Amino acid sequence: MHAFTYINGQLHCENVALQGLADAHGTPLYVYSGNTILDHYHRLDRALGGLDHAIAYAVKANSNLSVLRLLAQAGAWFDIVSGGELFRVIKAGGNPAHCTFAGVGKTRDEIIYALQNNIYCFNVESAAELAYLNEVAAELGVFAPAAVRVNPNVDAKTHKYISTGKSENKFGIDFEAIEALYDQAAREWPHVRMRGLQMHIGSQLTSIAPFVEAVRKVKPLAQLLKERHQIEFWSIGGGIGIVYHDSLASGQASWWANHDPDSKPLSIDEYGAAVVPLLEDLGLKILMEPGRYIVGNAGVLLTRCLYEKKGNAKTFKIVDAGMNDLIRPALYEGHHEIATLQENNSTPVKADVVGPICESGDFFCQDRVMPDFKPGDVIALLSAGAYGFVMASNYNTRPLPAEILVDGSEAVVARKRQTLDDLIAGEI
Ligand code: LLP
């Protein structure tokens, strides 16, 4: 579900009108629906039902403290990829003992910080990293819990920049080498304790088949490692895709639906029905690491139209958000629906929606047929809750946008807009 709907002709997040938020807090502005985030978390939790499981939210998708706090209170675990993310989880009241630490390049300082905070497990991506983890843990006189990320060589059939489970990707260790590595760890690295096994084949998967293929392929290995090395968990990663080509409950729905007739949701219940039976008899704790599924459709980016320019070839609608605020279209050819804040039944127009950044790649859509809007109007870029704000930068010396978290009829500023002074803080 998502909570962005027209009520009396005005686009709302839950019970809060987005126009009011844009007017009060300015644009560009990220707005998140807290109840959508919780709904997605609980849906996935239910889908994994009978399994001994934990949902380790992938913090990288949206690391705002208020979002993390919501999830921590709901009982979520966290999958982190840096010392900075661990710091955020702790500040938000999350439990470090429920954190897994992923990533191919953990530094010494990050390893020490995570060891001192007794995280649940380091998800290790190379033999060299496992040896180094052993060395640092020995220096500190502690034992480091570890899992190895297996690269199952399964095609996730997603954008090439977010596919991770093929042999040519930098992630994980080849399937065939895993057994020997666990044996080596037991022999040579007494300060690591092999606690689990991890995999993650890619992000924004829109079909269940690659998940099933990977689970089937790796299951015998998980079984073997449980018997031989007493591992206690298997993390099957994140990657559940969301619908970007969405439709709101409005007269505009047909336009959006027509835009991409192939776009269909990956049903979380079908996902559970396909995957859970394969895992039930293993006797391992199952972890999942969803990011986008939890927060993606729970957020929008509001931006105001500044100018319209009609050239010989195209019409450009120039808005006050840029690729520095939401980079997904530029980096992954990502699609974000555009919704006007007032329900709009005028004749749709074809245009490019572009930002103010000095780059040709600074666009939110090209040649898209959409409801018309004019300078002064605010529009919403939908499905921007994941990999939106977290990937924003100060490029072109633009302050980072503010973030708002909505709960029912209440909206709080979860992060203030940066000021000009914030932009130069730390420089001499
Ligand atoms: N676990 C690991 C080890 C990961 O590398 C990732 C994402 C996740 C979990 C969470 O994946 P999710 O459930 O969100 O698909 N910036 C890109 C996505 C990059 C994903 C990186 N890894 C985008 O905007 O599409």
Side-chain angles (χ1 to χ4, degrees):
M1 70 157 262
H2 64 66
F4 296 90
T5 48
Y6 288 101
I7 305 175
N8 298 329
Q10 297 282 321
L11 190 59
H12 281 62
C13 172
E14 302 193 19
N15 299 321
V16 177
L18 292 172
Q19 184 69 52
L21 291 178
D23 292 342
H25 302 284
T27 50
L29 185 71
Y30 276 97
V31 182
Y32 309 124
S33 156
N35 286 303
T36 304
I37 294 172
L38 290 176
D39 176 65
H40 291 168
Y41 173 80
H42 290 304
R43 268 174 201 239
L44 186 54
D45 198 33
R46 280 196 299 273
L48 298 179
L51 295 174
D52 173 15
H53 71 273
I55 297 173
Y57 167 66
V59 173
K60 64 170 82 68
N62 184 327
S63 59
N64 184 285
L65 291 182
S66 299
V67 170
L68 299 182
R69 194 174 302 119
L70 262 189
L71 288 164
Q73 284 166 358
W77 289 33
F78 296 96
D79 184 57
I80 57 169
V81 288
S82 68
E85 287 191 351
L86 177 56
F87 178 71
R88 281 185 172 275
V89 169
I90 293 169
K91 286 286 177 195
N95 182 355
H98 290 167
C99 284
T100 50
F101 191 169
V104 296
K106 303 175 192 74
T107 66
R108 177 182 171 83
D109 284 352
E110 287 177 321
I111 291 172
I112 291 173
Y113 180 47
L115 282 172
Q116 285 168 340
N117 280 286
N118 294 313
I119 65 161
Y120 179 69
C121 199
F122 291 85
N123 292 344
V124 167
E125 304 229 14
S126 62
E129 184 192 340
L130 199 52
Y132 189 60
L133 186 60
N134 177 67
E135 194 182 311
V136 178
E139 268 179 52
L140 268 61
V142 298
F143 299 96
V148 170
R149 175 168 177 174
V150 53
N151 185 330
N153 195 20
V154 166
D155 188 351
K157 299 192 172 60
T158 183
H159 191 277
K160 60 179 189 286
Y161 285 3
I162 50 177
S163 180
T164 55
K166 292 280 288 171
S167 296
E168 57 265 35
N169 300 128
K170 73 176 175 183
F171 298 101
I173 294 179
D174 291 333
F175 180 80
E176 297 74 18
I178 298 286
E179 199 181 320
L181 184 60
Y182 277 70
D183 292 345
Q184 185 182 8
R187 276 195 320 271
E188 297 177 22
W189 299 316
H191 279 268
V192 295
R193 292 271 190 274
M194 300 314 294
R195 192 168 201 177
L197 177 69
Q198 196 267 354
M199 69 181 190
H200 172 77
I201 56 173
S203 197
Q204 184 53 16
L205 274 69
T206 50
S207 115
I208 291 168
F211 289 115
V212 170
E213 186 186 343
V215 167
R216 278 191 202 282
K217 182 162 181 189
V218 175
K219 184 177 174 180
L221 178 65
Q223 185 82 52
L224 179 136
L225 295 176
K226 182 187 168 210
E227 280 156 20
R228 198 185 300 168
H229 295 283
Q230 291 78 49
I231 65 165
E232 68 184 40
F233 81 92
W234 177 15
S235 175
I236 59 171
I240 297 169
I242 63 167
V243 175
Y244 280 100
H245 297 255
D246 202 358
S247 58
L248 297 181
S250 83
Q252 297 168 354
S254 57
W255 280 103
W256 294 327
N258 287 342
H259 188 84
D260 180 11
D262 294 334
S263 176
K264 55 180 187 309
L266 188 160
S267 148
I268 209 64
D269 294 332
E270 283 171 24
Y271 170 86
V275 168
V276 170
L278 299 173
L279 299 167
E280 263 164 352
D281 59 347
L282 264 177
L284 287 170
K285 184 177 186 72
I286 300 299
L287 264 56
M288 272 204 71
E289 305 161 6
R292 190 187 321 259
Y293 171 73
I294 305 283
V295 290
N297 281 328
V300 297
L301 174 60
L302 302 184
T303 179
R304 198 177 286 271
C305 182
L306 299 172
Y307 307 105
E308 185 168 275
K309 179 160 80 171
K310 283 193 166 75
N312 283 342
K314 283 185 175 229
T315 297
F316 296 98
K317 290 177 184 289
I318 301 159
V319 297
D320 66 359
M323 64 190 285
N324 72 300
D325 301 303
L326 177 65
I327 202 174
R328 299 198 67 266
L331 197 54
Y332 315 107
E333 302 163 309
H335 177 100
H336 292 268
E337 289 292 355
I338 289 173
T340 53
L341 298 197
Q342 277 72 39
E343 215 163 356
N344 177 340
N345 294 317
S346 60
T347 312
V349 294
K350 190 194 255 191
D352 286 20
V353 177
V354 302
I357 303 277
C358 304
E359 301 250 3
S360 296
D362 181 31
F363 57 81
F364 294 114
C365 67
Q366 292 178 305
D367 294 320
R368 190 182 301 175
V369 176
M370 66 189 122
D372 200 10
F373 58 89
K374 294 289 171 216
D377 291 347
V378 177
I379 56 166
L381 296 161
L382 304 184
S383 311
Y387 307 109
F389 183 92
V390 285
M391 297 184 79
S393 77
N394 290 125
Y395 186 41
N396 279 203
T397 305
R398 288 163 50 83
L400 292 172
E403 295 173 283
I404 304 285
L405 181 65
V406 170
D407 174 16
S409 303
E410 257 179 57
V412 294
V413 178
R415 181 184 170 119
K416 289 190 215 163
R417 183 178 305 283
Q418 275 190 329
T419 63
L420 293 180
D421 281 328
D422 291 336
L423 286 171
I424 55 166
E427 290 181 43
I428 46 165

